[in-house]
Amino acid sequence: MFDLLPGGTEAGQIYLGLLLFALVLVALRRGLSDLAAIAVLLLLGLGLEVADVMFLGQSARGALPDLFHFMLAPAFLFGLARARLLRP
């Protein structure tokens, strides 16, 4: 499915991370700088990668770059919000 998106699988991981981050923020009713939201997203990302390794046969070595791509944009937004460079 990610191959259909512009940018390939890496971009798909970034899009998925952003989408899930937005959903977590809405579900928790928190702001971009909330530590709980980024922690929930990290747990979701770890769970997805464990599922990839266990059920889809992905190598464990390939899971780390996937997790990095998944967390890249949300972590960037989180960092900007924590540094008060983003205004709500």
Side-chain angles (χ1 to χ4, degrees), residues 36-71:
I38 201 76
V40 167
L41 187 71
L42 181 61
L43 289 175
L44 281 172
L46 287 170
L48 287 171
E49 292 309 317
V50 167
D52 280 351
V53 170
M54 290 179 64
F55 301 115
L56 298 178
Q58 178 185 1
S59 72
R61 190 173 285 234
L64 191 58
D66 284 351
L67 184 62
F68 174 76
H69 289 119
F70 181 80
M71 292 296 297

Side-chain angles (χ1 to χ4, degrees), residues 16-52:
L16 182 63
L18 277 172
L19 176 68
L20 288 179
F21 188 49
L23 291 175
V24 166
L25 290 174
V26 169
L28 295 178
R29 297 182 182 179
R30 305 286 174 109
L32 283 172
S33 64
D34 190 59
L35 192 59
I38 201 76
V40 167
L41 187 71
L42 181 61
L43 289 175
L44 281 172
L46 287 170
L48 287 171
E49 292 309 317
V50 167
D52 280 351

